[in-house]
Coordinates of all heavy atoms in Angstrom, one line a residue:
M919 N -3.3 7.5 -15.6 CA -3.4 8.9 -15.5 C -4.3 9.4 -16.7 O -4.3 8.8 -17.7 CB -2.0 9.6 -15.7 CG -2.0 11.1 -15.7 SD -2.8 11.9 -14.3 CE -1.6 11.5 -13.0
K920 N -5.1 10.4 -16.4 CA -6.0 10.9 -17.5 C -5.2 11.7 -18.5 O -4.1 12.2 -18.2 CB -7.1 11.8 -16.9 CG -6.6 13.1 -16.3 CD -7.7 14.0 -15.8 CE -8.4 14.8 -16.9 NZ -7.5 15.8 -17.6
P921 N -5.7 11.8 -19.7 CA -5.0 12.6 -20.7 C -5.2 14.1 -20.4 O -6.2 14.5 -19.9 CB -5.7 12.2 -22.0 CG -7.0 11.6 -21.6 CD -6.9 11.1 -20.2
S922 N -4.3 14.9 -20.8 CA -4.4 16.4 -20.6 C -5.3 17.0 -21.6 O -5.3 16.6 -22.8 CB -3.0 17.0 -20.8 OG -3.0 18.4 -20.5
G923 N -6.1 17.9 -21.1 CA -7.0 18.7 -22.0 C -8.2 18.0 -22.6 O -8.8 18.6 -23.5
M924 N -8.5 16.9 -22.1 CA -9.6 16.1 -22.7 C -10.8 16.2 -21.7 O -10.7 15.8 -20.6 CB -9.3 14.7 -22.9 CG -10.4 13.9 -23.6 SD -9.9 12.2 -24.0 CE -8.7 12.5 -25.3
P925 N -12.0 16.7 -22.1 CA -13.1 16.8 -21.2 C -13.6 15.4 -20.8 O -13.5 14.5 -21.6 CB -14.2 17.5 -22.1 CG -13.5 18.1 -23.3 CD -12.2 17.3 -23.5
Y926 N -14.0 15.3 -19.6 CA -14.4 14.0 -19.0 C -15.6 13.4 -19.9 O -15.7 12.2 -20.1 CB -14.9 14.1 -17.6 CG -13.7 14.3 -16.6 CD1 -13.5 15.5 -16.0 CD2 -12.8 13.3 -16.4 CE1 -12.4 15.7 -15.1 CE2 -11.7 13.4 -15.6 CZ -11.5 14.6 -14.9 OH -10.5 14.8 -14.1
S927 N -16.4 14.4 -20.4 CA -17.6 13.9 -21.2 C -17.2 13.2 -22.5 O -18.0 12.5 -23.0 CB -18.5 15.1 -21.5 OG -17.8 16.1 -22.2
E928 N -16.0 13.4 -22.9 CA -15.5 12.8 -24.2 C -14.5 11.7 -23.9 O -14.2 10.9 -24.9 CB -14.8 13.9 -25.0 CG -15.7 15.0 -25.5 CD -14.9 16.1 -26.2 OE1 -13.7 15.9 -26.6 OE2 -15.5 17.2 -26.4
M929 N -14.1 11.5 -22.7 CA -13.0 10.5 -22.4 C -13.6 9.1 -22.4 O -14.7 8.8 -21.9 CB -12.5 10.9 -21.0 CG -11.1 10.4 -20.8 SD -10.5 11.0 -19.1 CE -10.6 12.7 -19.3
K930 N -12.7 8.2 -23.0 CA -13.1 6.8 -23.0 C -12.0 6.0 -22.3 O -10.9 6.5 -22.1 CB -13.1 6.3 -24.5 CG -14.2 7.1 -25.4 CD -14.2 6.5 -26.8 CE -13.0 6.8 -27.6 NZ -12.7 8.2 -27.9
P931 N -12.3 4.8 -21.8 CA -11.3 4.0 -21.1 C -10.0 3.9 -21.8 O -8.9 4.0 -21.2 CB -12.0 2.7 -20.9 CG -13.4 3.0 -21.0 CD -13.6 4.1 -21.9
E932 N -10.0 3.8 -23.1 CA -8.8 3.6 -23.9 C -7.9 4.9 -24.0 O -6.8 4.9 -24.5 CB -9.0 3.1 -25.3 CG -10.0 3.9 -26.1 CD -11.5 3.4 -26.0 OE1 -11.9 2.9 -24.9 OE2 -12.2 3.6 -27.0
D933 N -8.5 6.0 -23.5 CA -7.8 7.3 -23.5 C -6.8 7.4 -22.3 O -6.0 8.3 -22.3 CB -8.7 8.5 -23.5 CG -9.5 8.6 -24.8 OD1 -8.9 8.3 -25.9 OD2 -10.7 9.0 -24.8
M934 N -7.1 6.6 -21.3 CA -6.3 6.6 -20.1 C -4.8 6.1 -20.4 O -4.6 5.4 -21.3 CB -6.9 5.8 -19.0 CG -8.2 6.2 -18.5 SD -8.2 7.9 -17.8 CE -7.5 7.6 -16.2
L935 N -3.9 6.6 -19.5 CA -2.5 6.3 -19.7 C -2.0 5.5 -18.6 O -2.4 5.7 -17.4 CB -1.7 7.6 -19.8 CG -2.1 8.5 -21.0 CD1 -2.2 9.9 -20.5 CD2 -1.2 8.4 -22.2
V936 N -1.0 4.7 -18.8 CA -0.2 4.0 -17.8 C 1.2 4.5 -17.8 O 1.8 4.6 -18.9 CB -0.2 2.5 -18.0 CG1 0.6 1.8 -16.9 CG2 -1.7 1.9 -18.0
L937 N 1.7 4.9 -16.6 CA 3.0 5.5 -16.5 C 3.9 4.7 -15.6 O 3.4 4.1 -14.6 CB 2.9 6.9 -16.0 CG 2.4 8.0 -17.0 CD1 1.0 7.9 -17.2 CD2 2.8 9.4 -16.4
T938 N 5.2 4.8 -15.7 CA 6.1 4.3 -14.8 C 6.2 5.2 -13.6 O 5.7 6.3 -13.6 CB 7.5 4.1 -15.4 OG1 8.0 5.4 -15.7 CG2 7.5 3.2 -16.6
D939 N 6.9 4.7 -12.5 CA 7.0 5.5 -11.3 C 7.7 6.9 -11.6 O 7.5 7.8 -10.8 CB 7.9 4.8 -10.3 CG 7.2 3.6 -9.7 OD1 6.0 3.5 -9.9 OD2 7.9 2.8 -9.0
D940 N 8.5 7.0 -12.6 CA 9.2 8.2 -12.9 C 8.5 9.0 -14.1 O 9.1 10.0 -14.6 CB 10.7 8.0 -13.2 CG 10.9 7.1 -14.4 OD1 9.9 6.5 -14.9 OD2 12.1 6.9 -14.7
G941 N 7.3 8.6 -14.4 CA 6.5 9.4 -15.4 C 6.6 9.1 -16.8 O 6.0 9.8 -17.7
K942 N 7.3 8.0 -17.2 CA 7.4 7.6 -18.6 C 6.1 6.9 -19.0 O 5.6 6.0 -18.3 CB 8.6 6.7 -18.8 CG 8.8 6.3 -20.2 CD 10.0 5.4 -20.4 CE 10.1 4.9 -21.8 NZ 10.6 3.6 -21.9
V943 N 5.5 7.3 -20.1 CA 4.3 6.7 -20.6 C 4.6 5.3 -21.2 O 5.4 5.2 -22.1 CB 3.6 7.6 -21.7 CG1 2.4 6.9 -22.3 CG2 3.2 8.9 -21.1
I944 N 4.0 4.3 -20.7 CA 4.2 2.9 -21.2 C 2.9 2.4 -21.9 O 3.0 1.4 -22.6 CB 4.7 2.0 -20.1 CG1 3.8 1.9 -18.9 CG2 6.1 2.3 -19.8 CD1 4.2 0.8 -17.9
E945 N 1.8 3.0 -21.7 CA 0.6 2.7 -22.4 C -0.2 3.9 -22.6 O -0.4 4.7 -21.7 CB -0.3 1.7 -21.6 CG 0.2 0.3 -21.6 CD -0.8 -0.7 -20.9 OE1 -2.0 -0.4 -20.9 OE2 -0.3 -1.5 -20.2
G946 N -0.8 4.1 -23.8 CA -1.6 5.2 -24.1 C -1.0 6.1 -25.2 O 0.2 6.2 -25.4
E947 N -1.9 6.9 -25.9 CA -1.5 7.7 -27.0 C -1.4 9.2 -26.7 O -0.9 10.0 -27.5 CB -2.5 7.5 -28.2 CG -2.6 6.0 -28.6 CD -1.3 5.5 -29.2 OE1 -0.6 6.3 -29.9 OE2 -1.0 4.3 -29.0
H948 N -2.0 9.6 -25.6 CA -2.1 11.0 -25.3 C -1.0 11.5 -24.4 O -0.3 10.8 -23.8 CB -3.5 11.3 -24.7 CG -4.7 10.8 -25.5 ND1 -5.1 11.5 -26.6 CD2 -5.5 9.8 -25.4 CE1 -6.1 10.9 -27.2 NE2 -6.4 9.8 -26.4
T949 N -1.0 12.8 -24.2 CA -0.1 13.5 -23.3 C -0.7 13.4 -21.9 O -1.9 13.7 -21.8 CB 0.1 15.0 -23.7 OG1 0.6 15.0 -25.0 CG2 1.0 15.7 -22.7
P950 N 0.0 13.0 -20.9 CA -0.6 12.9 -19.6 C -0.9 14.2 -19.0 O -0.4 15.3 -19.3 CB 0.5 12.2 -18.7 CG 1.7 12.1 -19.5 CD 1.4 12.5 -20.9
S951 N -1.9 14.2 -18.0 CA -2.3 15.5 -17.4 C -1.1 16.3 -16.8 O -0.1 15.7 -16.4 CB -3.2 15.1 -16.2 OG -3.5 16.2 -15.4
V952 N -1.3 17.6 -16.8 CA -0.3 18.5 -16.1 C -0.2 18.1 -14.7 O 0.8 18.6 -14.0 CB -0.7 20.0 -16.3 CG1 -0.7 20.3 -17.8 CG2 -2.0 20.3 -15.7
D953 N -1.1 17.4 -14.1 CA -1.0 17.0 -12.7 C -0.2 15.8 -12.4 O 0.0 15.4 -11.3 CB -2.4 16.7 -12.1 CG -3.3 17.9 -12.2 OD1 -2.9 19.1 -12.0 OD2 -4.5 17.8 -12.5
T954 N 0.4 15.3 -13.5 CA 1.2 14.0 -13.3 C 2.3 14.1 -12.3 O 2.4 13.2 -11.4 CB 1.8 13.6 -14.7 OG1 0.7 13.4 -15.6 CG2 2.6 12.3 -14.6
A955 N 3.1 15.2 -12.3 CA 4.2 15.3 -11.4 C 3.7 15.3 -9.9 O 4.3 14.7 -9.0 CB 5.0 16.5 -11.7
A956 N 2.6 16.0 -9.7 CA 2.0 16.1 -8.3 C 1.5 14.7 -7.9 O 1.8 14.3 -6.7 CB 0.9 17.1 -8.3
H957 N 0.9 13.9 -8.8 CA 0.4 12.6 -8.5 C 1.6 11.7 -8.2 O 1.6 10.9 -7.2 CB -0.4 12.0 -9.6 CG -1.8 12.6 -9.7 ND1 -2.9 11.9 -10.0 CD2 -2.2 13.9 -9.5 CE1 -3.9 12.7 -10.0 NE2 -3.5 13.9 -9.8
L958 N 2.7 11.7 -9.0 CA 3.8 10.9 -8.8 C 4.5 11.2 -7.5 O 5.0 10.3 -6.8 CB 4.8 11.1 -9.9 CG 4.4 10.5 -11.3 CD1 5.4 10.9 -12.4 CD2 4.1 9.0 -11.3
Y959 N 4.5 12.5 -7.1 CA 5.1 12.9 -5.8 C 4.4 12.3 -4.7 O 5.0 11.8 -3.7 CB 5.1 14.4 -5.7 CG 5.7 14.9 -4.4 CD1 7.1 15.1 -4.3 CD2 4.9 15.3 -3.4 CE1 7.6 15.5 -3.1 CE2 5.4 15.7 -2.2 CZ 6.8 15.8 -2.0 OH 7.3 16.3 -0.8
I960 N 3.0 12.4 -4.7 CA 2.2 11.8 -3.7 C 2.4 10.3 -3.6 O 2.6 9.8 -2.5 CB 0.7 12.2 -3.9 CG1 0.5 13.7 -3.8 CG2 -0.2 11.4 -2.9 CD1 -0.8 14.2 -4.2
Y961 N 2.4 9.6 -4.7 CA 2.6 8.1 -4.7 C 4.0 7.8 -4.1 O 4.1 6.8 -3.3 CB 2.5 7.6 -6.1 CG 1.1 7.5 -6.6 CD1 0.8 8.0 -7.8 CD2 0.1 6.9 -5.9 CE1 -0.5 7.9 -8.3 CE2 -1.2 6.8 -6.4 CZ -1.5 7.3 -7.6 OH -2.8 7.3 -8.1
K962 N 5.0 8.6 -4.4 CA 6.3 8.3 -3.9 C 6.4 8.6 -2.4 O 7.1 7.8 -1.6 CB 7.4 9.2 -4.6 CG 8.8 8.9 -4.3 CD 9.7 9.6 -5.3 CE 11.1 9.1 -5.2 NZ 12.1 9.7 -6.1
Q963 N 5.8 9.7 -1.9 CA 5.9 10.0 -0.5 C 5.0 9.2 0.4 O 5.2 9.0 1.6 CB 5.5 11.5 -0.3 CG 6.4 12.5 -1.0 CD 7.8 12.4 -0.6 OE1 8.1 12.3 0.6 NE2 8.7 12.3 -1.6
R964 N 3.9 8.7 -0.2 CA 2.9 7.9 0.6 C 2.6 6.6 -0.1 O 1.5 6.5 -0.8 CB 1.6 8.8 0.7 CG 1.8 10.1 1.4 CD 1.7 10.0 2.9 NE 0.5 9.3 3.4 CZ -0.6 9.9 3.6 NH1 -0.7 11.2 3.5 NH2 -1.7 9.2 4.0
P965 N 3.5 5.6 0.0 CA 3.3 4.4 -0.8 C 2.0 3.6 -0.5 O 1.6 2.8 -1.2 CB 4.5 3.5 -0.4 CG 5.3 4.4 0.6 CD 4.7 5.7 0.8
E966 N 1.3 3.9 0.7 CA 0.1 3.3 1.0 C -1.1 3.8 0.1 O -2.1 3.2 0.1 CB -0.3 3.4 2.5 CG -0.8 4.8 2.9 CD 0.3 5.8 3.2 OE1 1.5 5.7 2.7 OE2 0.0 6.8 3.8
I967 N -0.9 4.9 -0.5 CA -1.9 5.5 -1.4 C -1.9 4.8 -2.7 O -0.9 4.6 -3.4 CB -1.7 7.0 -1.6 CG1 -2.0 7.7 -0.2 CG2 -2.6 7.6 -2.7 CD1 -1.8 9.2 -0.3
R968 N -3.1 4.3 -3.1 CA -3.2 3.4 -4.3 C -4.0 4.1 -5.5 O -4.1 3.6 -6.5 CB -3.8 2.1 -4.0 CG -3.2 1.3 -2.9 CD -1.8 1.0 -3.1 NE -1.7 0.1 -4.3 CZ -0.6 -0.2 -4.9 NH1 0.5 0.3 -4.6 NH2 -0.6 -1.0 -5.9
G969 N -4.5 5.3 -5.2 CA -5.3 6.0 -6.2 C -5.6 7.4 -5.7 O -5.7 7.7 -4.5
I970 N -5.7 8.4 -6.7 CA -5.9 9.8 -6.4 C -7.1 10.3 -7.2 O -7.1 10.0 -8.4 CB -4.7 10.6 -6.7 CG1 -3.5 10.2 -5.8 CG2 -4.9 12.1 -6.5 CD1 -2.1 10.8 -6.3
V971 N -8.0 10.9 -6.5 CA -9.2 11.5 -7.2 C -9.0 13.0 -7.1 O -9.0 13.5 -5.9 CB -10.5 11.1 -6.6 CG1 -11.7 11.8 -7.3 CG2 -10.7 9.6 -6.8
H972 N -8.9 13.7 -8.2 CA -8.7 15.2 -8.2 C -10.1 15.8 -8.6 O -10.5 15.5 -9.8 CB -7.6 15.6 -9.1 CG -7.4 17.0 -9.3 ND1 -6.2 17.6 -9.7 CD2 -8.2 18.1 -9.2 CE1 -6.3 18.9 -9.8 NE2 -7.5 19.2 -9.5
T973 N -10.7 16.5 -7.8 CA -12.0 17.0 -8.1 C -12.1 18.5 -7.9 O -11.4 19.1 -7.0 CB -13.2 16.3 -7.4 OG1 -14.4 16.9 -7.7 CG2 -13.0 16.4 -5.9
H974 N -13.0 19.2 -8.6 CA -13.3 20.6 -8.3 C -14.7 20.8 -7.9 O -15.4 21.7 -8.4 CB -13.0 21.4 -9.6 CG -11.6 21.5 -10.0 ND1 -10.9 22.6 -10.4 CD2 -10.6 20.5 -10.0 CE1 -9.7 22.4 -10.7 NE2 -9.5 21.1 -10.5
S975 N -15.2 19.9 -7.1 CA -16.6 20.0 -6.7 C -16.9 21.3 -5.9 O -16.0 21.8 -5.2 CB -17.0 18.8 -5.8 OG -16.6 19.0 -4.5
N976 N -18.0 21.9 -6.1 CA -18.4 23.2 -5.5 C -18.2 23.2 -4.0 O -17.6 24.1 -3.4 CB -19.8 23.6 -5.9 CG -19.9 24.0 -7.3 OD1 -18.9 24.2 -8.0 ND2 -21.1 23.9 -7.8
Y977 N -18.7 22.1 -3.3 CA -18.7 22.0 -1.9 C -17.2 21.8 -1.4 O -16.8 22.5 -0.4 CB -19.6 20.9 -1.4 CG -21.1 21.3 -1.6 CD1 -21.8 20.5 -2.4 CD2 -21.7 22.3 -0.9 CE1 -23.2 20.8 -2.6 CE2 -23.0 22.6 -1.1 CZ -23.8 21.9 -2.0 OH -25.1 22.2 -2.2
A978 N -16.5 20.9 -2.0 CA -15.1 20.7 -1.5 C -14.3 21.9 -1.7 O -13.4 22.3 -0.9 CB -14.5 19.5 -2.3
T979 N -14.5 22.6 -2.8 CA -13.7 23.8 -3.1 C -14.0 24.9 -2.1 O -13.2 25.7 -1.6 CB -14.0 24.3 -4.5 OG1 -13.6 23.3 -5.4 CG2 -13.1 25.6 -4.8
S980 N -15.3 25.0 -1.7 CA -15.7 26.0 -0.7 C -15.1 25.7 0.7 O -14.6 26.7 1.3 CB -17.3 26.0 -0.5 OG -17.9 26.3 -1.7
F981 N -15.1 24.5 1.1 CA -14.4 24.2 2.4 C -12.9 24.5 2.3 O -12.4 25.1 3.3 CB -14.6 22.7 2.7 CG -15.9 22.3 3.4 CD1 -17.0 22.0 2.7 CD2 -15.9 22.3 4.8 CE1 -18.2 21.7 3.4 CE2 -17.1 22.0 5.5 CZ -18.2 21.7 4.8
A982 N -12.3 24.2 1.2 CA -10.8 24.4 1.1 C -10.6 25.9 1.1 O -9.6 26.4 1.8 CB -10.3 23.8 -0.2
A983 N -11.4 26.7 0.4 CA -11.2 28.2 0.4 C -11.4 28.8 1.8 O -10.7 29.8 2.1 CB -12.2 28.8 -0.6
L984 N -12.2 28.2 2.6 CA -12.4 28.7 4.0 C -11.4 28.1 5.0 O -11.4 28.4 6.1 CB -13.8 28.3 4.5 CG -15.0 29.0 3.7 CD1 -16.3 28.4 4.1 CD2 -15.0 30.5 4.1
G985 N -10.6 27.2 4.5 CA -9.5 26.6 5.3 C -10.1 25.6 6.4 O -9.6 25.4 7.4
Q986 N -11.3 25.0 6.0 CA -12.0 24.1 6.9 C -11.9 22.7 6.5 O -11.9 22.4 5.2 CB -13.5 24.5 7.1 CG -13.7 25.8 7.7 CD -15.2 26.1 7.9 OE1 -16.0 25.3 7.6 NE2 -15.5 27.4 8.3
E987 N -11.8 21.8 7.4 CA -11.8 20.4 7.1 C -13.2 19.9 6.7 O -14.2 20.5 7.1 CB -11.4 19.5 8.3 CG -9.9 19.7 8.6 CD -9.5 18.8 9.7 OE1 -10.2 17.8 10.1 OE2 -8.4 19.0 10.2
I988 N -13.3 18.9 5.8 CA -14.6 18.4 5.5 C -14.9 17.3 6.5 O -14.2 16.3 6.6 CB -14.5 17.8 4.0 CG1 -14.2 18.9 3.0 CG2 -15.8 17.1 3.7 CD1 -14.0 18.5 1.6
P989 N -16.0 17.4 7.2 CA -16.4 16.4 8.2 C -16.7 15.1 7.6 O -17.3 15.0 6.5 CB -17.6 17.0 8.9 CG -18.2 18.0 8.0 CD -17.0 18.5 7.1
P990 N -16.2 14.0 8.2 CA -16.5 12.6 7.6 C -17.9 12.2 7.9 O -18.2 11.5 8.8 CB -15.4 11.8 8.3 CG -15.2 12.4 9.6 CD -15.4 13.9 9.4
I991 N -18.9 12.6 7.1 CA -20.3 12.2 7.2 C -20.6 11.2 6.2 O -20.3 11.4 5.0 CB -21.2 13.5 7.1 CG1 -20.9 14.5 8.2 CG2 -22.7 13.1 7.1 CD1 -21.5 15.8 8.0
V992 N -21.2 10.1 6.6 CA -21.6 9.1 5.6 C -23.1 8.9 5.6 O -23.8 9.2 6.6 CB -20.9 7.7 6.0 CG1 -19.4 7.9 5.8 CG2 -21.2 7.3 7.4
T993 N -23.6 8.4 4.5 CA -25.1 8.2 4.4 C -25.7 7.3 5.5 O -26.8 7.5 5.9 CB -25.5 7.8 3.0 OG1 -24.8 6.5 2.7 CG2 -25.2 8.8 2.0
S994 N -24.9 6.3 5.9 CA -25.5 5.4 6.9 C -25.8 6.2 8.2 O -26.7 5.8 9.0 CB -24.5 4.3 7.2 OG -23.2 4.8 7.7
V995 N -25.1 7.3 8.5 CA -25.4 8.1 9.7 C -26.6 8.9 9.5 O -27.5 9.0 10.3 CB -24.2 9.0 10.1 CG1 -24.6 10.0 11.2 CG2 -23.0 8.2 10.4
S996 N -26.8 9.5 8.3 CA -28.0 10.3 8.0 C -29.2 9.5 8.0 O -30.3 10.0 8.3 CB -27.8 11.1 6.7 OG -27.7 10.2 5.6
D997 N -29.1 8.2 7.7 CA -30.3 7.3 7.7 C -30.9 7.2 9.1 O -32.1 6.9 9.2 CB -29.9 5.9 7.3 CG -29.5 5.8 5.8 OD1 -29.8 6.8 5.1 OD2 -28.9 4.8 5.4
M998 N -30.2 7.5 10.2 CA -30.7 7.4 11.5 C -31.6 8.6 11.9 O -32.2 8.6 13.0 CB -29.5 7.2 12.5 CG -28.7 6.0 12.2 SD -27.3 5.8 13.3 CE -28.1 5.1 14.7
F999 N -31.5 9.7 11.1 CA -32.3 10.9 11.5 C -33.5 11.1 10.6 O -33.5 10.7 9.5 CB -31.3 12.1 11.5 CG -30.3 11.9 12.5 CD1 -29.0 11.5 12.2 CD2 -30.5 12.2 13.9 CE1 -28.0 11.3 13.1 CE2 -29.5 12.0 14.8 CZ -28.2 11.6 14.4
Ligands
HMS771 O1 -7.0 21.3 -11.6 C1 -6.2 21.6 -12.4 C2 -5.6 22.9 -12.4 O2 -6.1 23.7 -11.4 C3 -5.8 20.6 -13.5 O3 -6.3 19.3 -13.1 C4 -6.4 20.9 -14.8 O4 -5.8 22.1 -15.3 C5 -6.4 19.8 -15.7 O5 -5.3 19.7 -16.5 P1 -5.1 18.5 -17.6 O6 -6.1 18.8 -18.6 O7 -5.4 17.2 -16.8 O8 -3.7 18.6 -18.1

């Protein structure tokens, strides 16, 4: 889990945390992200999920605000046009 309140531009690999299934920090010096409970809930409900990427990209946020799904377009398809 990423540390709370630390800008990505300043974050180093050693700043990352390792937590148990119930959120106890077992490696790392920082406070875990405020998103920890949400991530733990997702991992518990969907054991097939092995990683979570939380982003605030402009395009993804726009689709979400409009209530629209993001179409699964990959670069290999665009190469054909
Ligand atoms: O996206 C959100 C809130 O909208 C969070 O990820 C954001 O506040 C980051 O919190 P942390 O610095 O990771 O504790």
Side-chain angles (χ1 to χ4, degrees):
M919 177 58 68
K920 69 176 278 294
S922 183
M924 186 177 292
Y926 289 110
S927 58
E928 297 175 13
M929 207 176 296
K930 300 183 292 297
E932 57 268 30
D933 292 323
M934 297 298 285
L935 301 136
V936 178
L937 286 72
T938 61
D939 290 349
D940 58 355
K942 182 177 173 220
V943 176
I944 54 174
E945 283 182 37
E947 302 296 322
H948 301 287
T949 301
S951 171
V952 296
D953 299 323
T954 299
H957 287 218
L958 292 174
Y959 180 83
I960 293 167
Y961 286 127
K962 190 168 188 177
Q963 300 300 315
R964 299 278 305 272
E966 75 277 18
I967 291 177
R968 308 298 298 165
I970 298 168
V971 177
H972 175 157
T973 179
H974 292 225
S975 79
N976 292 341
Y977 291 114
T979 303
S980 300
F981 274 90
L984 291 169
Q986 294 183 7
E987 292 185 11
I988 298 174
I991 298 171
V992 293
T993 56
S994 59
V995 174
S996 63
D997 290 345
M998 300 177 79
F999 297 98

